[in-house]
Amino acid sequence: METGEQVVSSSVSKADIRQNVWDFMEANNLADFPRPVHHRIPNFKGSFKMGCSIEAWGVFDKAREVKVDPDKPLEGIRLAALQARKTLLVPTPRLRTGLFNRIVPPPGATKEMLRKCATSQGVRDYSVPVGLDAKVQVDLVVVGSVAVSERGWRIGKGEGYADMEYAMMVSMGAVKEDTVVVTAVHDCQVVDIPEALLADHDLTVDYILTPTRTIKTGCKRPKPQGILWHKISPETLAKIPVLKNLLYREKQEGKEVTLKEEKSRSPTRVQAAKPERARPQGEPQQMLERSSPDKADQKRSSCATVYVGNISHGIRVSELKEALRERHASPMRLTWQGGRHQAFLTYNDQCTADAAIEALQGLSLKGHPLRVEPARNQS
């Protein structure tokens, strides 16, 4: 196995290619901390120096908003973006709390401080979340890879986050057809990848940066055009809250969405309810009074209710409705209890309610932060 482009058998799988690259890099000591490189985006030797040198590359120079993955080998590129005073967006780890964070160095930050901001710890300490309604227009996307071919076909570490992030950026309008996608790897990570291994959700790259060369792939294979909901399982939806927001938006636009089959079950519509958690506050009286087992009650049983508390005196229901519309969280029914400083929002299903809760986090009316959470009893 040479340190240049590798040739692999057409019968191999993505897992085989990953394993070959990881094994070769370990055996030839081609990576820095963290080691071993297995199950990681390898932090190849020379990655930081190569990343910092990206400032001289014309494609990078023209970009104003840059999205760079949080992987260790991309730290130099993140630093270069900060030094060039570009808007630097970094995905939240495993998309647990949202899609992007924008790195905001302290005023008058020195080069050493900027370097700290470019690290994984700096990303946590010097960043602010970017909401789905933010006017983001990414010019350059930089992703980590385990392997990539000169034709632009990429293999990550197998978790699919880079592919998902790009699809979500398409959904929120943050990327366009001319947005450039780049990966940075060691020369030994440039391998031959059979096209048969690629799926419609796989992200391809336009450029490959290595310590010795810049490869323009000329890739014509279409990039993901949005979220492929039929490949998203209910389990994945539960793990990635921002997906629920995007799902809710697409439902509001009237799109039919079917989730991936859950193990041996039939395809799961977005109306499928999820288990709810116990909540501390009271219930809307109207939900407790209904007990007749007719068809209307059965329909209501699939609905989900959201509690909104801490509504200050003087707030009108029209003001709450307007805030809900602005955050794309209008309910099927709103029960107003202004005298008790609370309201209840009823949605068609638990999934839609969860998405609304995420969208309403941090909402304030007339300077008073609202408390938004699932209602205690969903019967």
Side-chain angles (χ1 to χ4, degrees):
M1 190 173 183
E2 302 295 331
T3 55
E5 181 173 352
Q6 307 166 34
V7 179
V8 297
S9 167
S10 59
S11 63
V12 301
S13 65
K14 287 184 179 180
D16 294 330
I17 296 174
R18 290 187 192 100
Q19 193 67 42
N20 288 340
V21 170
W22 285 329
D23 288 348
F24 183 81
M25 296 188 77
E26 277 297 319
N28 291 272
N29 195 31
L30 295 175
D32 291 325
F33 175 84
R35 300 278 293 273
V37 298
H38 295 83
H39 309 293
R40 306 180 192 272
I41 299 297
N43 183 27
F44 59 93
K45 290 190 174 181
S47 63
F48 186 78
K49 181 179 179 181
M50 187 205 73
C52 291
S53 68
I54 198 175
E55 288 183 349
W57 186 37
V59 174
F60 178 82
D61 183 59
K62 293 177 183 177
R64 292 293 172 262
E65 292 196 29
V66 183
K67 175 258 185 185
V68 185
D69 283 353
D71 306 306
K72 181 65 175 176
L74 304 181
E75 189 174 306
I77 296 178
R78 293 194 294 272
L79 175 58
L82 293 174
Q83 290 178 328
R85 300 183 183 278
K86 299 181 185 297
T87 299
L88 175 59
L89 303 174
V90 179
T92 59
R94 298 183 178 272
L95 302 175
R96 291 189 188 98
T97 57
L99 179 53
F100 293 132
N101 283 333
R102 179 166 57 89
I103 310 306
V104 183
T110 62
K111 184 174 181 178
E112 276 305 308
M113 176 56 72
L114 291 180
R115 181 162 183 171
K116 182 178 180 181
C117 291
T119 66
S120 57
Q121 184 62 47
V123 168
R124 289 190 289 269
D125 293 344
Y126 300 99
S127 65
V128 295
V130 176
L132 295 179
D133 292 322
K135 302 301 181 183
V136 175
Q137 192 59 66
V138 178
D139 306 304
L140 180 66
V141 173
V142 185
V143 295
S145 300
V146 173
V148 64
S149 78
E150 290 193 3
R151 301 178 69 179
W153 302 337
R154 170 192 170 275
I155 296 177
K157 59 186 177 182
E159 296 180 335
Y161 285 106
D163 307 314
M164 176 69 71
E165 290 159 8
Y166 188 88
M168 292 165 72
M169 286 192 289
V170 172
S171 182
M172 66 181 287
V175 293
K176 300 182 296 185
E177 287 188 10
D178 60 351
T179 299
V180 178
V181 180
V182 181
T183 193
V185 296
H186 191 275
D187 289 277
C188 77
Q189 294 173 258
V190 181
V191 304
D192 183 33
I193 300 175
E195 186 173 9
L197 294 182
L198 271 66
D200 50 2
H201 66 273
D202 285 325
L203 177 63
T204 57
V205 302
D206 304 301
Y207 290 90
I208 304 167
L209 307 181
T210 81
T212 65
R213 55 183 175 153
T214 298
I215 304 169
K216 185 174 182 179
T217 66
C219 185
K220 301 300 182 183
R221 187 181 179 92
K223 294 181 175 64
Q225 299 299 302
I227 300 170
L228 302 178
W229 292 108
H230 66 279
K231 293 191 174 184
I232 304 296
S233 69
E235 294 91 346
T236 299
L237 196 68
K239 292 176 184 176
I240 305 178
V242 68
L243 264 181
K244 296 178 183 178
N245 282 343
L246 292 171
L247 176 65
Y248 178 75
R249 286 183 171 208
E250 296 200 9
K251 284 184 63 182
Q252 289 286 85
E253 294 169 1
K255 296 180 181 178
E256 180 74 13
V257 179
T258 302
L259 299 180
K260 181 181 179 182
E261 290 186 6
E262 186 178 7
K263 298 179 181 178
S264 61
R265 301 177 187 176
S266 58
T268 306
R269 297 284 177 180
V270 292
Q271 285 79 9
K274 294 191 183 331
E276 40 84 18
R277 298 159 289 178
R279 296 298 164 193
Q281 82 290 331
E283 282 306 297
Q285 185 176 358
Q286 64 189 54
M287 295 297 289
L288 299 176
E289 291 174 348
R290 296 167 180 162
S291 58
S292 58
D294 56 18
K295 291 183 179 179
D297 286 326
Q298 293 174 15
K299 181 177 180 181
R300 278 191 293 268
S301 67
S302 68
C303 295
T305 306
V306 173
Y307 168 82
V308 180
N310 199 35
I311 299 175
S312 63
H313 179 73
I315 296 294
R316 299 180 179 179
V317 64
S318 60
E319 294 173 293
L320 176 59
K321 288 181 177 180
E322 182 179 358
L324 295 174
R325 284 193 298 269
E326 289 176 353
R327 297 210 174 197
H328 307 285
S330 296
M332 177 180 69
R333 181 172 64 251
L334 187 156
T335 303
W336 177 254
Q337 298 181 356
R340 298 175 63 183
H341 308 290
Q342 63 186 21
F344 293 90
L345 315 177
T346 303
Y347 294 91
N348 288 325
D349 51 70
Q350 188 66 48
C351 188
T352 306
D354 289 343
I357 291 171
E358 292 293 332
L360 297 175
Q361 293 305 305
L363 176 62
S364 297
L365 290 179
K366 292 187 176 179
H368 293 271
L370 301 185
R371 177 182 172 188
V372 181
E373 58 188 38
R376 180 193 303 170
N377 190 318
Q378 296 290 335
S379 61

